[in-house]
Amino acid sequence: MSDSCNSRHFSWLMKSCFPNNQHPPPHHPTPIGTTTILPTGTTIAELPDDLLLECLSRVTHSSLPSLPLVCCRWSLLLDSPTFHLLRHRHNLLRLTLFAVSVSDGALCTASYRLNNDCSWKICSFTPANDPVFEHGCFYSLFSHSRLSVIGRKIYVIGRTAMLRCDTWTGLVVPRQGPVFPRKKFAAAVVGGKIFVAGGCARAAAVEEYDPTRNTWSVVAKAPRKRYGCVGASVDGVFYVIGGLKLGGASGNEMLVARGSRASDAAHVYASSMDLYDTVNGVWLKTRSVPGGGCVVAACATAGEIYVLSSHAVELSFWKFNGSRKSTGFGDWCRIKSPPLPAQVRLDSTVRFSCVGIGEKVVLVQVNGCIDDLLRRSGRIERGMKEGLVLVYDCVAGEWSRAADLPEVIRRSACVCVEC
């Protein structure tokens, strides 16, 4: 079978699952003096799982949503780890950037492959029949959601609810929500599980989600209560980065901030990150961005944490060595800043989402208009209106501009999926 499968091949593949008794196979006469044993099975449905997986794993990405609709067996095979492994072996998986925007009763998405696509592809996830999708409550639950990725599935974590979106089939199903209601919190995947922290005034709890059991559990207490923080993970460590002070100080924080002024404490929150060792269940030494500033976007890729910080007069871009086995663990290095006007101070008016994709970091403007921000400061600029997408090559150390985010996708969250 060829490495690719077009629509004509796929139609034949689905039809061959069901035998047609009205049209028996043509009879081929057997030469005299020979004996031929004809196979009893004539359809693809009678193939063993390993051969069927080999066939199905070669279909094009556009045909994947049709596979689970054929039968329950195909649906189970699609969810098997072997199917994902075979598609990877056939070089059919691509690192894809997804931007997910929440509206009333729907999830609008746009996908973009850096090395393959010249523009964004707009699509939508199909919601399941569940009360969480009822008109009126959906937006309030997921308006400030965070995204996490396990395999090909995107988990949209809202205040008290969560959705699981299948990037192959487009199906959305509700999952168990966090124990504590959260808003503008940190989230990251470590070891196949989702960790969340911050965004909750009631508690400083760090929660862990097990996708196999569909359960949340409290695993630790954060040293600081943060709001508007960002999450990332490298080498088994969950990073809770930046944000504002939320509520009163916890016991650990009082020991650190004793004798400090309120402004100093706020500065510690905005430019620091707490490190939680998920394997040993302990908090490591808190790290701070050199030169201070306010962390406005961060992500992890290739064993390092990349942080965009906003200062009074400039923007700075840093990388933090997160490889615990290396001698340089914990070292900061300032790298080339994104090509944005120096007068731009990133705040609630203009927001960026930072995503690591292989050896690249993608900075996506998800809210606000830079042109309007500059115009209010007396400058007239053009070409940086909304939906700006900048790509940093971690190897070459240079920035480039990618296709702008579509206008229909605003106030979105971004994530990278191998699908």
Side-chain angles (χ1 to χ4, degrees), residues 309-381:
S309 183
S310 176
H311 305 266
V313 294
E314 64 174 350
L315 298 173
S316 62
F317 195 49
W318 301 82
K319 68 176 179 179
F320 174 87
N321 189 339
S323 179
R324 301 178 65 187
K325 296 181 180 179
S326 69
T327 56
F329 172 69
D331 291 345
W332 288 94
C333 177
R334 183 165 183 175
I335 52 183
K336 188 175 182 178
S337 300
L340 295 172
Q343 290 78 5
V344 174
R345 294 183 60 188
L346 302 184
D347 49 21
S348 59
T349 305
V350 177
R351 292 191 301 108
F352 278 83
S353 179
C354 194
V355 183
I357 303 180
E359 294 183 335
K360 296 181 180 179
V361 174
V362 181
L363 203 59
V364 184
Q365 181 190 353
V366 294
N367 188 36
C369 177
I370 295 180
D371 285 0
D372 292 344
L373 192 64
L374 293 173
R375 197 175 296 112
R376 288 195 296 269
S377 64
R379 292 189 57 184
I380 299 178
E381 294 284 342

Side-chain angles (χ1 to χ4, degrees), residues 100-103 106-107 137-148 155-163 178 180-187 196-200 227-230 348 351 366-367 410-414:
V100 180
S101 178
V102 178
S103 61
L107 289 175
C137 69
F138 184 79
Y139 182 79
S140 62
L141 286 175
F142 297 99
S143 58
H144 296 282
S145 58
R146 294 291 193 255
L147 304 183
S148 293
Y155 290 80
V156 184
I157 313 169
R159 298 186 183 185
T160 58
M162 184 170 67
L163 302 174
F180 294 97
R182 301 178 185 272
K183 180 181 178 181
K184 295 186 178 181
F185 52 92
V196 297
C200 178
Y227 177 81
C229 45
V230 183
S348 59
R351 292 191 301 108
V366 294
N367 188 36
R410 287 294 179 266
R411 296 182 178 272
S412 60
C414 300

Side-chain angles (χ1 to χ4, degrees), residues 35-313:
T35 303
T36 302
I37 302 177
L38 296 177
T40 58
T42 58
T43 67
I44 195 173
E46 297 175 1
L47 291 176
D49 285 352
D50 56 344
L51 293 180
L52 185 56
L53 278 168
E54 185 65 40
C55 295
L56 298 181
S57 64
R58 296 173 181 265
V59 303
T60 59
H61 187 274
S62 59
S63 299
L64 287 175
S66 303
L67 293 183
L69 305 178
V70 177
C71 59
C72 293
R73 182 190 177 195
W74 284 29
S75 179
L76 293 174
L77 291 177
L78 187 69
D79 281 331
S80 66
T82 306
F83 186 84
H84 187 277
L85 179 63
L86 287 172
R87 288 191 67 82
H88 180 77
R89 184 179 300 171
H90 297 319
N91 197 28
L92 294 175
L93 296 179
R94 298 289 185 273
L95 293 176
T96 306
L97 177 63
F98 278 86
V100 180
S101 178
V102 178
S103 61
D104 263 342
L107 289 175
C108 299
T109 66
S111 62
Y112 182 73
R113 295 179 177 179
L114 293 181
N115 299 325
N116 299 84
D117 297 338
C118 57
S119 61
W120 291 77
K121 297 179 180 179
I122 301 175
C123 57
S124 61
F125 287 119
T126 306
N129 186 17
D130 191 270
V132 75
F133 295 100
E134 290 180 357
H135 181 77
C137 69
F138 184 79
Y139 182 79
S140 62
L141 286 175
F142 297 99
S143 58
H144 296 282
S145 58
R146 294 291 193 255
L147 304 183
S148 293
V149 173
I150 300 178
R152 70 176 193 269
K153 296 175 181 177
I154 301 175
Y155 290 80
V156 184
I157 313 169
R159 298 186 183 185
T160 58
M162 184 170 67
L163 302 174
R164 188 187 68 190
C165 310
D166 194 325
T167 58
W168 282 354
T169 64
L171 182 64
V172 178
V173 294
R175 299 281 88 185
Q176 183 66 38
V179 177
F180 294 97
R182 301 178 185 272
K183 180 181 178 181
K184 295 186 178 181
F185 52 92
V189 175
V190 187
K193 296 181 179 180
I194 300 174
F195 288 80
V196 297
C200 178
R202 292 171 49 188
V206 177
E207 297 182 52
E208 175 193 84
Y209 174 74
D210 187 342
T212 58
R213 298 182 179 181
N214 188 30
T215 56
W216 288 89
S217 58
V218 176
V219 294
K221 182 179 180 180
R224 294 180 177 88
K225 288 183 180 180
R226 299 174 182 263
Y227 177 81
C229 45
V230 183
S233 67
V234 172
D235 205 4
V237 176
F238 174 38
Y239 292 79
V240 185
I241 311 170
L244 304 174
K245 182 178 180 180
L246 182 62
S250 63
N252 295 339
E253 181 188 352
M254 291 178 64
L255 296 176
V256 176
R258 184 173 296 172
S260 301
R261 296 178 300 175
S263 59
D264 294 336
H267 173 76
V268 169
Y269 277 75
S271 62
S272 68
M273 52 187 189
D274 297 323
L275 287 67
Y276 178 66
D277 185 343
T278 61
V279 178
N280 300 311
V282 296
W283 289 94
L284 306 179
K285 179 183 177 182
T286 299
R287 310 287 177 150
S288 297
V289 180
C294 177
V295 174
V296 293
C299 70
T301 188
E304 293 178 307
I305 303 291
Y306 289 83
V307 176
L308 179 66
S309 183
S310 176
H311 305 266
V313 294

